[in-house]
Amino acid sequence: MGETKAFEALTPDTLPQRLGSLPALKDRIGADTTQWRVREVGDGNLNLVFIVDGGAGSAIVKQALPYVRLVGESWPLPLKRTFFEYHALVREGERAPGMVPQIFHFDAGQAIIVMEFLSPHIILRRALIEGQQLPKIGRDLGLFAARTLFRGSDFAMEARKRKEDLALFADNVELCDITENLVFSDPYYEAKLNHHTSPQLDGLVAELRADRDLKVEAQKLKHLFATRAETLLHGDLHTGSVMVTPQDTRVIDSEFAFYGPIAFDVGMMLANFWMSYFSQRGHEANGSRDAMRAYLLGVVEEIWATFRDEFSHLWRTERSGILYQRALFEDRDDALGAEQALDHVLHDIWVDLLGFAGVEIHRRILGLAHNADFETIGDVELRSRCEASALKFGRHLAVNRRHIHSLVEVHGLAQRLEKETVI
């Protein structure tokens, strides 16, 4: 047996030489590596991402680094996260066909995934900042969430297979640790890597960090995240992890995948549309964004309605796992019992997704990893006002989630807060 080659980060200059013999690349972009054009385009917090163009086509090469790119080598991170991303993408492709990029090659030792180049797709977050009103994303994301989350759970999977997968993804410890700290704990005290926009937010930030009810709820949500292994999650399902055209929606960046609560992916996804909503006032240089705000609330409503309808459809047609067995209900001519159980499951998802959304909003404003919705607002005072409204909104969701019964209530609050000057 030959020695395993030591990890080496790719560069635009070394990529053609190192990967030029791969059929996965040669067959798709051309065999003549002297004609390859390589651009490093990664703008995320963790990885290198290259677009490789050749005479015959293009591909994406993604490589993990042994540290958090956003911070540097002082924060080491294992390369095995690419293993989890690869396996998650394979499962997501099976459970929600056509909704993730096609995978062409995986190299665990060098932490490399070669995948389909999505063009003319752009990152969804960027599209929303630009004010694009994409017609399909609400339905597409609702279907993706329902299909991947239901089909990766004990509602649908054969018990041994699900437990084998649970054991496989349980080793994604370091990326879970990032979520457990950056989402649920760091925003609520003076953690070293926290930062927020300006001193204008200092009073509100201090108020939130002194809010006992909020901190208790955040820890209850962390408790759920750490212990409720319901299904295989994407684990980082936000508008920066979705690429779009008006006709097509694809979900990327599944390296945070692990088994957790169904509501987490849904809550994180909705939170990012709500943050986009609160950021719109900072993007009105070319005119009012009233129509965009209405569109964003409509997308949230469509995601939840689609998720609920598709989850219910799968419950009725694909519920073959060990939970709520048909032998107890439909096979005994008790379809109403199955529907009653479904109502309870959806209610629990609703309550918990609100809480997860609330803490996701807080961590994107108070913690380490902010998002471009707010960060691209050049006027710091205006940005602070947008963020303050979002922070108050997030607090309400997290603390009062058990007493919120509909999106009508949620969006009524959002509209009131968006109009107020809250700092």
Side-chain angles (χ1 to χ4, degrees):
M1 289 180 64
E3 289 186 18
T4 301
K5 185 178 178 182
F7 173 82
E8 182 182 350
L10 294 166
T11 70
D13 293 331
T14 64
L15 188 150
Q17 176 188 2
R18 289 181 58 191
L19 304 186
S21 62
L22 285 180
L25 277 171
K26 290 195 303 182
D27 294 349
R28 284 165 181 84
I29 68 174
D32 185 358
T33 60
T34 65
Q35 299 299 310
W36 288 11
R37 299 182 305 281
V38 183
R39 292 176 287 143
E40 209 281 300
V41 296
D43 60 356
N45 298 328
L46 300 180
N47 307 299
L48 298 171
V49 181
F50 302 90
I51 298 175
V52 187
D53 297 305
S58 302
I60 289 288
V61 175
K62 181 175 180 179
Q63 185 182 38
L65 291 168
Y67 53 83
V68 177
R69 184 177 184 179
L70 176 65
V71 177
E73 295 184 13
S74 64
W75 189 341
L77 204 61
L79 297 173
K80 66 182 179 182
R81 65 186 188 271
T82 306
F83 171 88
F84 299 114
E85 178 171 14
Y86 165 74
H87 281 281
L89 284 168
V90 169
R91 286 154 178 76
E92 289 164 353
E94 293 169 349
R95 293 165 186 168
M99 287 291 295
V100 297
Q102 185 179 354
I103 303 298
F104 302 135
H105 176 77
F106 170 56
D107 181 337
Q110 294 298 308
I112 290 170
I113 302 176
V114 180
M115 67 184 80
E116 178 185 4
F117 174 54
L118 300 173
S119 179
H121 298 66
I122 65 171
I123 294 293
L124 174 56
R125 194 185 304 281
R126 176 181 151 197
L128 299 180
I129 290 169
E130 292 174 354
Q132 294 188 36
Q133 297 184 24
L134 298 147
K136 291 188 61 188
I137 55 170
R139 177 168 172 76
D140 285 349
L141 291 175
L143 291 174
F144 175 83
R147 289 168 179 172
T148 56
L149 298 173
F150 187 92
R151 289 170 172 161
S153 76
D154 269 323
F155 296 131
M157 289 184 74
E158 188 271 324
R160 174 171 289 278
K161 176 65 174 173
R162 199 201 77 93
K163 287 176 170 63
E164 289 172 351
D165 259 16
L166 176 63
L168 179 79
F169 284 94
D171 195 35
N172 201 4
V173 175
E174 291 80 6
L175 268 70
C176 285
D177 180 71
I178 289 176
T179 302
E180 287 154 3
N181 288 305
L182 264 59
V183 175
F184 297 102
S185 293
D186 286 5
Y188 302 106
Y189 76 107
E190 294 73 17
K192 181 180 178 181
L193 295 175
N194 285 349
H195 63 101
H196 55 266
T197 288
S198 78
Q200 288 180 284
L201 288 174
D202 286 354
L204 179 55
V205 173
E207 180 183 322
L208 292 172
R209 288 180 178 154
D211 188 329
R212 181 181 298 147
D213 291 340
L214 175 60
K215 289 188 291 184
V216 169
E217 291 303 330
Q219 293 313 291
K220 286 183 178 178
L221 290 159
K222 186 175 184 178
H223 189 164
L224 290 177
F225 179 86
T227 61
R228 186 180 287 178
E230 287 186 313
T231 191
L232 180 63
L233 300 177
H234 177 282
D236 199 27
L237 189 57
H238 55 71
T239 53
S241 298
V242 181
M243 298 195 70
V244 293
T245 70
Q247 293 79 36
D248 191 46
T249 306
R250 304 288 190 95
V251 177
I252 61 172
D253 292 348
S254 300
E255 61 208 321
F256 281 81
F258 89 113
Y259 269 78
I262 288 171
F264 181 77
D265 270 2
V266 188
M268 180 170 279
M269 178 168 50
L270 296 189
N272 279 264
F273 284 97
W274 283 320
M275 283 186 280
S276 179
Y277 172 85
F278 284 108
S279 77
Q280 292 301 310
R281 194 162 298 280
H283 301 295
E284 292 187 311
N286 297 317
S288 169
R289 288 284 185 99
D290 284 347
M292 188 64 186
R293 280 186 280 272
Y295 162 78
L296 288 164
L297 297 186
V299 168
V300 169
E301 291 163 3
E302 186 172 16
I303 289 173
W304 175 239
T306 302
F307 172 87
R308 190 181 57 228
D309 290 348
E310 181 68 4
F311 193 96
S312 299
H313 169 71
L314 295 173
W315 176 276
R316 294 164 188 143
T317 59
E318 297 186 15
R319 198 175 80 256
S320 56
I322 62 171
L323 294 181
Y324 303 97
Q325 293 155 289
R326 303 181 74 86
L328 299 174
F329 298 106
E330 289 92 341
D331 294 353
R332 297 178 63 84
D333 198 25
D334 186 18
L336 283 179
E339 292 298 304
Q340 179 178 324
L342 171 62
D343 287 344
H344 284 291
V345 169
L346 287 172
H347 174 74
D348 288 345
I349 294 171
W350 164 256
V351 170
D352 292 340
L353 80 82
L354 293 174
F356 288 127
V359 296
E360 165 70 359
I361 291 169
H362 286 168
R363 74 97 168 201
R364 289 293 187 177
I365 298 171
L366 305 180
L368 168 67
H370 291 204
N371 65 33
D373 302 80
F374 295 121
E375 294 291 288
T376 53
I377 300 172
D379 183 329
V380 173
E381 182 178 344
L382 178 56
R383 187 197 315 165
S384 296
R385 290 203 302 270
C386 294
E387 290 177 329
S389 296
L391 287 170
K392 286 182 173 284
F393 179 75
R395 193 268 178 195
H396 180 79
L397 295 186
V399 173
N400 298 306
R401 65 186 187 277
R402 297 173 193 83
H403 309 293
I404 299 171
H405 305 293
S406 71
L407 283 174
V408 172
E409 295 175 50
V410 175
H411 289 169
L413 174 66
Q415 289 165 332
R416 290 193 298 275
L417 285 172
E418 197 279 330
K419 290 180 172 64
E420 293 178 1
T421 302
V422 296
I423 57 170

